[in-house]
Amino acid sequence: MRRMRMIRAIEMLAETNLPVTEIALSVGYQSLSAFNASFRSFTGQTPTAYRDGFKTSSFGR
């Protein structure tokens, strides 16, 4: 279940400009801190850092 939530959150971070809080709530987390901790454990990055890195690597494609 956690993996499915994280995959959906990753997709939303990459494909939308929704606030991280809204993404966290939409994938089933009731607090931003719990989402951030889970996301960092899963990816090694915060959600914001992940989104920033994704946007940077998408340029020039």
Side-chain angles (χ1 to χ4, degrees):
M1 180 66 121
R2 177 178 168 249
R3 181 184 162 129
M4 291 171 50
R5 286 180 176 184
M6 288 296 111
I7 290 170
R8 182 63 188 133
I10 286 168
E11 290 171 348
M12 292 178 78
L13 286 165
E15 297 171 0
T16 73
N17 289 321
L18 291 172
V20 174
T21 302
E22 193 168 329
I23 292 172
L25 294 172
S26 73
V27 299
Y29 284 86
Q30 298 198 7
S31 76
L32 182 58
S33 61
F35 174 72
N36 283 340
S38 187
F39 192 93
R40 180 172 232 159
S41 174
F42 190 78
T43 66
Q45 298 178 321
T46 65
T48 302
Y50 179 86
R51 175 181 269 167
D52 290 346
F54 185 87
K55 286 181 179 178
T56 301
S57 67
S58 295
F59 289 118
R61 285 189 182 179

